[in-house]
Amino acid sequence: MEQFLTFGIVGLSTAAVYAVIGSGLVLTYVTTGVFNFAHGAAGMLAAFCYWQFTVGWGWPVPVALAVVLLVLAPGFGLAVERVLMRPVQRLGEAERLVMTVALLSGAIAAARWIWDPNVPRPLTVFFADEKPLHLGPATVTWHQALTMAVAVAVAAVLWFLLTRTRTGAEMRATVDDRALARLTGADPLRAGRVAWILGTQLAAIGGILIAPTVALDASQLSLLIVSAYTAAVFGRLRSLPLTFAGAVVVGCMESYLTGYLPQNPYLPGLRLAAPALLLFLALLLFRHPRLRHRDRRLVQVQAPGLRGTAVFAAATIAFAVVLATVLDEADLVTYGPIFSLGVVALSYVPLAGYAGQISLCQLSMAGIGAVVWGHLGTHGELWALAAAIAVAGAAGALIAVPALRFSGVYLALGTAAFAVILDRWIFTLPAFHLFGLRISLFDQGSVDMSGPDLFGWHLDSAADLTVLAAVCLGLASLAVAWLRRGGFGRRLIALRDSEAAYATLGGNLLLTKVAVFALSSGIAGLGGALYGMQQRAITAEQFNLVAGLPIFLVAVIGGLGAVGTGLFTGTAYLGPNILTGMASWTQNIVALLPALAGMGLGHSPEGIVARFRRQWEPLGRDPAALPVLLGALALGWVLRLTGAIDGWTFLIGSLVVGFALHAWAAARQAPGTEADVPVEWWGVRRPWRPEDGEVLARATAGR
């Protein structure tokens, strides 16, 4: 009985932290409609700053707490609201979500840059020198008592703020209808600012309270938020009392699993994955109300041309051939995965770009494909690649069935929980038998990978595998473009626009979601198998949730509706490693680049790929400049192969020639030369200009 009470006290203390953090999540979401995936990262940064002030610089604890909670946390929340979230308030849910994902990724990278992750940073609990309290047979430390008291105080303050103050009324009114709230004299911008400031302060309080009981690690502290996610989902992202009740369930469950889980090689990961598993079950069992965003604007998804996509696929393969012939083996290990990770990123296009289904577990699906290939394709059997695609597709279909109840942020939470369950438990399992069949995943280690046999030719060198991955990326890009132009692609766009309208008009939600999840997961499985071949050996850590977030981030930056997003993501994700090769100190800067680029999404919501295509279209249409460019690139390639020039000269020369010819082609097709374009083709054969509307209006009025 004493042990049971002891674990109960520990669970309640942990639950108090989850309640504080979860209440901040609910407060932000109810007021702004933005689910902040970086909420735990804000608490993590607060904990690191608190350590720096108290341990690193020797400040008094009260001074450090005042600076962190009253200066840094409010300033951070205000900056996030003003700089990051306000520009994307009117965009789709994926675009708003990616801002918080960018902030999460950037906060982890920044923390690792500022505070060396290889140096331990222990924190002392509050009132460590005081004698603990005794409640019957149970012992309560003053830190635990303080944590529970803070949670009660936070609950009381939030209840008073939301129900007894004008600011609280503004915050509750804003989420229902921002326009109507303005008419009643409320200020939605002020309500949003207050919510972000208070939410960040609550995350900071939770981070400081829990940091002394866990390792001060950027990723671990940031992902403790999964437990707070579960508490918030218990409250349906609206109810603070239910959020606190959910926190008690999660905290006590973790504590009792630690004390009473049987010693078994298959169960240790279950304790780590239990909050995510509970989150997934809560999403399935509870009915979740939708927030109404009447001012939301979706980014249009244009149908790609098959001819243009075919040219793009050929260019992708040519790019791979150039890399395979000008880079050595070591460099190809670094840059060759551009194409395999590009295939993984391409899986977001039909799923998130066309169907509007936000998934954060695509890299986990890639891990499934890699594991299947590693075990079945040990001798290069090509059928094992088809098996990797099929098994990953089947896993995606299994996700889609329960995901029928999810949409928007709930779907993102569900897929994130699934990714955590995989990397914390399933991927860590030792080999086991199921229906007489031996199942082996990563087997608590690494899995060796080899290349495939293709028409009697064993592809095993880095150059061969780079070209193979590029061919697969090109073919997959053609398939996705063909899909968009077909009937199924149109149904996916209809599903993205309105699930309710799609179902009302006779669409089968279950069948469509299962099909698109299976398709995208199969594409991700193909990419994972190719990536594993190029890496020679893979581990579970390469396919966890944190590793997948930057890939999702860069894919959204490229544009979820663009077929070229696959190649863009692989290039933008691995290309900056050139800086690391030049100067090792730039490694932390490179890690920050995806997050910084994601934070600029509000200035280009349609994605960089679409803008890049429009800007360089004059060069592609120019009958003189394009052949000159192709000839110059071919000449530079030959000179590089013969050793006449080095790689840097080839790269810089190609860029210089490309930009020069682009400027020349743009000048040749300047507005003055477009007089022959018929009026009905304005905006199609040449860009639409602001003055075109006035010209058309005057011409119509003069008739």
Side-chain angles (χ1 to χ4, degrees), residues 228-570:
Y229 289 166
T230 308
V233 169
F234 265 84
R236 304 182 184 182
L237 299 181
R238 285 179 175 270
S239 171
L240 290 176
L242 289 178
T243 298
F244 275 70
V248 171
V249 172
V250 177
C252 291
M253 178 194 65
E254 289 183 353
S255 181
Y256 286 125
L257 283 177
T258 302
Y260 295 104
L261 196 67
Q263 297 297 320
N264 187 299
Y266 302 98
L267 295 181
L270 174 61
R271 182 183 62 82
L272 299 176
L277 186 60
L278 188 60
L279 170 61
F280 196 80
L281 293 176
L283 288 168
L284 284 176
L285 297 177
F286 295 159
R287 182 179 179 182
H288 307 291
R290 299 172 183 265
L291 290 179
R292 293 172 291 175
H293 298 289
R294 299 177 184 177
D295 53 359
R296 188 183 69 171
R297 176 171 57 89
L298 294 175
V299 178
Q300 292 186 352
V301 178
Q302 301 294 335
L306 292 181
R307 180 178 178 182
T309 306
V311 173
F312 168 76
T316 300
I317 298 172
F319 178 38
V321 171
V322 171
L323 289 183
T325 52
V326 303
L327 297 180
D328 57 26
E329 189 83 7
D331 287 335
L332 280 176
V333 171
T334 301
Y335 301 107
I338 283 175
F339 305 99
S340 56
L341 291 180
V343 175
V344 177
L346 184 66
S347 69
Y348 286 108
V349 174
L351 183 64
Y354 296 168
Q357 306 299 304
I358 305 171
S359 173
L360 297 180
C361 66
Q362 291 304 102
L363 192 63
S364 300
M365 298 296 102
I368 292 174
V371 165
V372 173
W373 170 259
H375 289 294
L376 299 183
T378 52
H379 301 293
E381 299 91 340
L382 200 58
W383 61 266
L385 192 60
I389 298 172
V391 173
L398 288 176
I399 299 174
V401 174
L404 183 63
R405 288 179 55 87
F406 308 158
S407 64
V409 68
Y410 299 113
L411 181 58
L413 282 172
T415 53
F418 189 80
V420 173
I421 293 168
L422 284 177
D423 62 60
R424 289 188 178 179
W425 183 27
I426 304 300
F427 284 166
T428 64
L429 290 174
F432 59 94
H433 289 83
L434 182 65
F435 303 117
L437 180 65
R438 186 177 185 272
I439 306 296
S440 179
L441 301 174
F442 290 93
D443 204 12
Q444 299 178 319
S446 62
V447 178
D448 294 330
M449 309 288 284
S450 64
D453 288 329
L454 188 62
F455 305 118
W457 183 21
H458 185 63
L459 306 178
D460 198 47
S461 68
D464 294 341
L465 295 174
T466 297
V467 175
L468 173 65
V471 171
C472 292
L473 177 57
L475 294 177
S477 299
L478 275 171
V480 171
W482 174 80
L483 171 75
R484 169 64 182 89
R485 297 178 64 86
F488 184 62
R490 290 191 292 271
R491 289 197 295 272
L492 293 181
I493 296 297
L495 176 68
R496 169 182 177 266
D497 291 341
S498 174
E499 291 188 10
Y502 179 78
T504 302
L505 295 175
N508 190 320
L509 281 176
L510 176 60
L511 182 61
T512 305
K513 280 193 174 185
V514 169
V516 71
F517 264 92
L519 172 66
S520 64
S521 298
I523 295 173
L526 171 62
L530 295 170
Y531 178 70
M533 296 175 195
Q534 294 178 298
Q535 295 298 300
R536 308 292 183 179
I538 55 171
T539 62
E541 288 75 16
Q542 293 174 280
F543 301 97
N544 61 28
L545 175 64
V546 174
L549 290 180
I551 296 177
F552 169 75
L553 181 62
V554 179
V556 177
I557 295 167
L560 291 175
V563 174
T565 294
L567 180 61
F568 169 82
T569 301

Side-chain angles (χ1 to χ4, degrees), residues 208-246:
I208 292 173
L209 288 174
I210 203 171
T213 62
V214 298
L216 202 58
D217 176 79
S219 295
Q220 182 178 348
L221 271 177
S222 298
L223 290 184
L224 281 173
I225 195 65
V226 172
S227 300
Y229 289 166
T230 308
V233 169
F234 265 84
R236 304 182 184 182
L237 299 181
R238 285 179 175 270
S239 171
L240 290 176
L242 289 178
T243 298
F244 275 70

